[in-house]
Amino acid sequence: MEQLGTLEELPERYREQLEASNLVPLWPNLRNFIPPHAPQPHTLATAWYFHQIKPLLLQAGELAPIEKAERRVLALANPGHGLDNMKVSPAMYLGMQLLLPKEWAPAHRHTPNAVRLIIEGEGAYTTVEGQKCLMEHGDMILTPSGLWHEHGHDGDQPVIWMDILDLPLVYYMEASFVEEGRRQEVDRINQGSTHNYAAGIVPTPHFIREDAVYPMLRYAWKDTKKVLDALAAGTTRQEVIQVAYVNPETGRDCQNILGYSALLLRAKETVSLPLRSTAQVFHVIEGELKINIDQQHFSLAKADTACAPCFAAIDLINTSEQPCYVFIADEAPLQRKLGLYSVRERQLSHERFTKVAVEEAGI
């Protein structure tokens, strides 16, 4: 591709006139914004290890009372975007949140969408629009844009969960803000997803207001794990075992901007993913995982997290004799809405035993 002119080639007087008029020549910067053939992501392959995070988070519990912190969180920052930007990818924010026994994180609502993935501890809950969602290991709880939510803890041990928000995108659009509210009155306790929804059926009438687009707020891990195990028992070794978190009434993504799924790696199994146009986050719910991202190698244990940039070559490898359960977050729903989502096949070695995830399923 032909080399374009540089800013330094322009006369100094001309550049001064442009700056005074709030004008910028496009051609010296064109390839930075529209690079040839493929994006040039700032997102770097990065891993965060729970054994390093937990002691620092517990120390934050001593240093920052909940009354001063409101939400006691350590953000997982991708160095490719700069640590001050506190984001993992262009549209994804991750944070590890701590709630101590008898604490209450006050009610508020905000424009970014959020989910909570429960990592450790018992006795805590999130109340969303009056629905009390109990927090158990591996559960995913939605707190969508504009809905009141608060966190409480009736147990006796610290509880830790991971927040996943589309905050970077909402902030970039200058649409991010929060409103404070009063403690909610609980009108329903949610103990698990299958009490309200099962394959092919929905309750009538719906248990929340008819105009709600989030009929299910708590996706219990015990239910998700049962489905993954059943799929593993009924499929061949050539098939990837993966499920998507969806709106049970529509079958669409459970949120508008970010997508979520869970994947099961059987003992000694390797899955080679296709090249996807979206950044991805991988979090180990149970088991151990080796993940290769563009020739970078990370070993993850339970509660560890890694991220990969767009179009990365990713291998998920379970070297143990036990299954490994992986939670995945990505930006696919947003990219699909914008018409930007794409998948490229990898040139895989015939000498390796690999599997490719089925993209037609929207996973």
Side-chain angles (χ1 to χ4, degrees):
M1 188 168 292
E2 184 178 349
Q3 180 67 37
L4 300 177
T6 65
L7 189 63
E8 290 72 19
E9 292 175 347
L10 300 174
E12 182 177 358
R13 176 59 180 163
Y14 180 70
R15 284 182 280 160
E16 292 173 351
Q17 290 175 323
L18 290 174
E19 184 176 351
S21 301
N22 295 318
L23 297 172
V24 180
L26 173 61
W27 61 94
N29 303 290
L30 182 59
R31 293 293 175 254
N32 293 330
F33 291 99
I34 312 177
H37 309 303
Q40 296 178 353
H42 293 288
T43 303
L44 298 178
T46 310
W48 297 267
Y49 301 101
F50 189 64
H51 76 272
Q52 296 174 341
I53 296 172
K54 182 178 177 179
L56 294 172
L57 195 53
L58 293 176
Q59 188 175 1
E62 301 173 359
L63 298 174
I66 195 67
E67 295 78 16
K68 292 185 177 181
E70 184 177 349
R71 299 295 193 265
R72 192 187 293 107
V73 181
L74 295 180
L76 281 58
N78 190 300
H81 293 283
L83 299 184
D84 290 343
N85 288 318
M86 294 192 300
K87 60 184 179 181
V88 166
S89 74
M92 286 190 286
Y93 160 95
L94 302 182
M96 289 289 187
Q97 184 162 173
L98 169 69
L99 197 64
L100 295 175
K102 312 310 176 187
E103 286 186 335
W104 177 69
H108 67 200
R109 63 181 180 181
H110 43 65
T111 46
N113 294 280
V115 305
R116 323 293 172 182
L117 184 68
I118 316 309
I119 294 176
E120 186 175 272
E122 297 179 350
Y125 59 88
T126 292
T127 303
V128 185
E129 293 287 329
Q131 185 176 164
K132 185 177 182 179
C133 299
L134 305 181
M135 289 179 159
E136 297 178 352
H137 171 249
D139 290 355
M140 188 183 80
I141 298 172
L142 306 186
T143 52
S145 173
L147 298 192
W148 293 107
H149 58 278
E150 61 196 77
H151 311 299
H153 192 350
D154 297 329
D156 56 8
Q157 296 295 323
V159 171
I160 298 173
W161 66 83
M162 182 164 64
D163 297 318
I164 309 172
L165 284 77
D166 51 23
L167 175 60
L169 174 68
V170 178
Y171 180 78
Y172 175 78
M173 297 177 64
E174 299 184 351
S176 181
F177 67 91
V178 65
E179 296 177 292
E180 297 180 355
R182 297 176 294 179
R183 187 186 290 265
Q184 301 175 68
E185 293 186 8
V186 175
D187 57 28
R188 183 177 184 276
I189 297 179
N190 189 328
Q191 298 184 9
S193 57
T194 54
H195 291 88
N196 307 301
Y197 288 93
I201 61 172
V202 297
T204 179
H206 301 322
F207 65 83
I208 52 178
R209 63 186 187 277
E210 293 182 359
D211 62 343
V213 292
Y214 301 100
M216 196 162 99
L217 295 173
R218 182 187 180 213
Y219 294 74
W221 172 242
K222 61 184 179 182
D223 300 328
T224 306
K225 185 178 180 179
K226 287 180 182 178
V227 173
L228 289 169
D229 289 341
L231 289 172
T235 58
T236 68
R237 294 286 296 190
Q238 283 70 39
E239 297 179 85
V240 173
I241 307 302
Q242 189 171 8
V243 297
Y245 292 89
V246 300
N247 181 320
E249 294 186 9
T250 66
R252 303 189 185 99
D253 299 297
C254 65
Q255 287 193 337
N256 291 323
I257 306 301
L258 303 181
Y260 308 99
S261 64
L263 184 147
L264 167 60
L265 288 167
R266 290 161 285 205
K268 301 295 184 180
E269 182 175 30
T270 294
V271 170
S272 293
L273 301 177
L275 310 182
R276 304 177 65 200
S277 61
T278 172
Q280 298 177 78
V281 165
F282 301 89
H283 176 84
V284 180
I285 296 180
E286 296 181 24
E288 298 178 351
L289 171 69
K290 293 186 183 299
I291 179 170
N292 298 338
I293 305 173
D294 286 338
Q295 307 304 315
Q296 297 185 64
H297 312 293
F298 304 96
S299 295
L300 306 182
K302 180 180 177 180
D304 291 344
T305 306
C307 75
C310 63
F311 291 118
I314 303 169
D315 296 321
L316 306 177
I317 306 165
N318 182 5
T319 61
S320 77
E321 297 291 345
Q322 301 300 319
C324 178
Y325 300 86
V326 185
F327 176 86
I328 302 173
D330 61 35
E331 302 159 337
L334 171 64
Q335 288 198 2
R336 289 193 185 99
K337 289 179 175 66
L338 297 175
L340 301 175
Y341 183 75
S342 66
V343 179
R344 299 179 182 180
E345 292 299 325
R346 292 173 59 181
Q347 299 298 319
L348 301 176
S349 169
H350 295 294
E351 298 177 356
R352 295 173 54 209
F353 180 68
T354 59
K355 302 178 181 66
V356 177
V358 181
E359 288 300 321
E360 288 76 11
I363 295 175

